[in-house]
Amino acid sequence: MNTKKYRVGEGGKLKLSSYKTDETGKGSEAEALARAEERQPKLAALQERLYAEAKQSLLIVLQARDAGGKDGTVKHVLFGLNPQGVVVTSFKAPTPLELAHDFLWRVHAHAPAAGMMAVFNRSHYEDVLVTRVHGLIDQQTTQARYEHIRAFEALLSSRGTRIVKLYLHISKDEQKERLQDRLDDPDKTWKFNLGDLKERDLWDDYTLAYQDALSATSSKQAPWYVIPADHKWFRNELIGQILLDTLEDMNPQFPEADFDPAKVEIR
Amino acid sequence: MNTKKYRVGEGGKLKLSSYKTDETGKGSEAEALARAEERQPKLAALQERLYAEAKQSLLIVLQARDAGGKDGTVKHVLFGLNPQGVVVTSFKAPTPLELAHDFLWRVHAHAPAAGMMAVFNRSHYEDVLVTRVHGLIDQQTTQARYEHIRAFEALLSSRGTRIVKLYLHISKDEQKERLQDRLDDPDKTWKFNLGDLKERDLWDDYTLAYQDALSATSSKQAPWYVIPADHKWFRNELIGQILLDTLEDMNPQFPEADFDPAKVEIR
């Protein structure tokens, strides 16, 4: 599967309307599930090497509209990985202490240590999305924040962190169905937030904010991918493949001993 | 499977020599693996409820001698859980900043938030084990620390945290085999630490320190279990069952909506 077509080019000008939300590629759902089962042990083996090597790290940034599938992505794509090597951080509305610092402060604290995989479920990008859509920051501050984000991600990259940023792209109709499902299923109603409806009314503003942010911050070292996410199984398939490709490219190795194992005697 | 016989009674005086390290119960390894596959979705479903409920939390404390199976327990028993709801913290030798605080300071920072499962891979118990065996603290300080630990665990418990403490019990011969295996297999040598051999020489001192610490700190709200751990599959079976029993007893529930879902209209 060629994942490059979903990657946002550096310095380009993205239009989300040119990306389909309901793409499913050529295969069927059953084939995708079979491939996911084959992929799982490969991801786990690469994760173990990454952890053992303890030189590089992987940061996965997940952004989406409400009900876009962030939680489901974590649950399904990371299934079967060793929890000792994965840290998922969900960023909520900032606390007073967090607001008393620059917007990258709370995020920096959760950057992955060498050997680790980190997932940001929402991220520093909220500070150029929700804040902008609600008029809390002006155009000048937005541009300045893009610059801060590029510098921040270059810093992480310089210490061996690979960054993969995923925008889960759903249609407005698909969001409606998912929100309705949360209302109809008592075991899912806890995920429903009345505030989500206000954000839904701002759909087009978010589209513009996302286009702008993704265009300004996709780089070779920290690329954005636009993931067609109406079909959960295709979303999982594509993200699983991107993670596998990325880890294979990082090519972590078990470290060699700095002593001669043959000469060690255990009494 | 009755897990109670592995539980250390409150106020008792534990002798590790009365616990077998190579026990396997009545079933076979194949049967245990089949049961683990049945257990996995049950654990995942309970974990989802715990996360959704966001009232209680679960803390699993793992202690063992070197090569006792802490990492393997995390990898196998927690397989398939949602990484968004699990945080594993590995406590290493304390940093200068950590040493400039009381011994529970760094541990407290990693206590599980409501809805979460936390695993301590090594823990505050190192501060009454390795420190004591190496003569860094005296008997009086050891006793005082037991008291501090009991108070600390009672505090966590008062906020809805269930605590399960697991001592992985292996024989000296089994440790030798596992350390030798790490020397022989180049993909495992990164786990071998020359310092482990010095700790191995102190085997009997650790036995005394463990007996003392487990006896002094096993309580109804934060019990210790002695897990026969020579056979990895039996260790996984027993711990899997303890976690399932514990989560079932906690009985987390999906929260009810504080609004009427039928009256919400999505435009």
Side-chain angles (χ1 to χ4, degrees), chain A residues 217-249:
Chain A
T217 59
S218 198
S219 63
K220 209 165 179 181
Q221 68 210 2
W224 273 106
Y225 291 85
V226 177
I227 308 292
D230 279 357
H231 297 284
K232 294 172 183 173
W233 65 268
F234 183 71
R235 171 200 77 199
N236 294 343
E237 160 90 338
L238 182 54
I239 297 176
Q241 193 58 46
I242 289 170
L243 293 190
L244 185 59
D245 289 350
T246 303
L247 283 164
E248 282 179 346
D249 188 56

Side-chain angles (χ1 to χ4, degrees), chain A residues 52 71 74-75 79-80 82 84 88 121 176 179-180 183 187 189-190 192 197 200 254-255 257 259 261 266-267, chain B residues 52 71 74-75 79-80 82 84 88 121 176 179-180 183 187 189-190 192 200 254-255 257 259 261 266-267:
Chain A
D71 292 342
V74 170
K75 182 174 174 176
F79 178 87
N82 189 335
Q84 186 150 294
V88 182
N121 186 338
K176 183 176 182 175
L179 291 175
Q180 190 62 52
L183 291 170
D187 287 357
T189 308
W190 64 278
F192 189 90
L197 298 182
R200 180 172 163 81
F254 287 115
F259 57 87
I266 303 168
R267 279 168 304 190
Chain B
D71 293 342
V74 170
K75 183 175 174 176
F79 178 88
N82 188 335
Q84 186 150 295
V88 182
N121 186 336
K176 184 175 183 177
L179 292 175
Q180 190 61 52
L183 291 169
D187 286 358
T189 309
W190 64 279
F192 189 89
R200 180 172 164 81
F254 288 115
F259 55 88
I266 304 169
R267 279 168 302 188

Side-chain angles (χ1 to χ4, degrees), chain B:
Chain B
M1 179 186 246
N2 184 4
T3 62
K4 279 197 190 122
K5 63 178 270 208
Y6 305 99
R7 195 167 165 159
V8 179
E10 186 166 351
K13 190 74 194 141
L14 171 78
K15 266 191 86 72
L16 278 178
S17 57
S18 61
Y19 287 82
K20 287 168 77 175
T21 58
D22 61 353
E23 193 181 327
T24 57
K26 284 176 191 158
S28 70
E29 179 171 359
E31 286 164 356
L33 286 176
R35 275 192 296 271
E37 282 197 25
E38 277 174 39
R39 202 183 293 119
Q40 193 281 318
K42 289 183 195 169
L43 285 172
L46 283 159
Q47 184 205 14
E48 189 180 3
R49 281 170 183 266
L50 185 76
Y51 187 86
E53 183 191 62
K55 284 189 182 165
Q56 312 174 74
S57 59
L58 176 60
L59 170 60
I60 301 157
V61 173
L62 279 178
Q63 284 289 153
R65 302 171 196 259
D66 298 310
K70 299 183 295 299
D71 293 342
T73 296
V74 170
K75 183 175 174 176
H76 293 286
V77 181
L78 303 184
F79 178 88
L81 294 186
N82 188 335
Q84 186 150 295
V86 186
V87 180
V88 182
T89 309
S90 298
F91 292 98
K92 314 279 184 190
T95 65
L97 178 64
E98 289 168 350
L99 284 172
H101 294 82
D102 69 80
F103 76 104
L104 293 172
W105 179 76
R106 66 172 184 162
V107 173
H108 207 159
H110 296 278
M116 298 291 290
M117 291 174 59
V119 179
F120 287 175
N121 186 336
R122 301 188 187 272
S123 67
H124 44 301
Y125 284 94
E126 291 295 330
D127 294 294
V128 290
L129 292 165
V130 62
T131 47
R132 186 176 164 199
V133 166
H134 287 274
L136 301 173
I137 58 170
D138 61 15
Q139 184 58 20
Q140 201 185 344
T141 304
T142 306
Q143 294 298 328
R145 287 191 173 182
Y146 292 157
E147 187 69 36
H148 293 309
I149 288 174
R150 286 192 292 263
F152 171 64
E153 293 178 352
L155 172 68
L156 299 187
S157 175
S158 75
R159 179 57 181 83
T161 302
R162 277 285 280 261
I163 306 173
V164 172
K165 300 182 288 194
L166 307 168
Y167 169 63
L168 310 183
H169 187 37
I170 57 167
S171 70
K172 201 172 178 184
D173 284 346
E174 178 66 19
Q175 186 190 52
K176 184 175 183 177
E177 266 189 43
R178 293 187 187 181
L179 292 175
Q180 190 61 52
D181 187 43
R182 291 179 178 181
L183 291 169
D184 297 342
D185 182 345
D187 286 358
K188 290 185 182 167
T189 309
W190 64 279
K191 292 185 188 173
F192 189 89
N193 190 328
L194 283 169
D196 294 352
L197 297 183
K198 281 184 194 149
E199 304 305 307
R200 180 172 164 81
D201 288 340
L202 299 165
W203 186 272
D204 294 337
D205 295 326
Y206 272 103
T207 300
L208 294 175
Y210 265 111
Q211 287 182 166
D212 213 23
L214 270 57
S215 301
T217 60
S218 199
S219 63
K220 207 163 182 184
Q221 67 209 4
W224 274 106
Y225 291 85
V226 176
I227 309 291
D230 279 357
H231 297 283
K232 294 171 183 176
W233 64 268
F234 182 71
R235 169 200 77 198
N236 294 344
E237 159 90 340
L238 182 54
I239 297 175
Q241 193 57 46
I242 289 170
L243 292 190
L244 185 59
D245 290 349
T246 303
L247 282 164
E248 283 179 345
D249 189 57
M250 291 169 77
N251 194 23
Q253 299 296 323
F254 288 115
E256 279 185 48
D258 54 4
F259 55 88
D260 182 355
K263 287 192 179 150
V264 177
E265 192 198 348
I266 304 169
R267 279 168 302 188

Side-chain angles (χ1 to χ4, degrees), chain A residues 21 65-69 167-172 174-175 178 203 227-230:
Chain A
T21 58
R65 302 172 195 257
D66 298 310
Y167 169 63
L168 310 182
H169 188 36
I170 58 167
S171 70
K172 201 170 176 184
E174 178 66 19
Q175 188 192 51
R178 292 186 188 181
W203 185 272
I227 308 292
D230 279 357

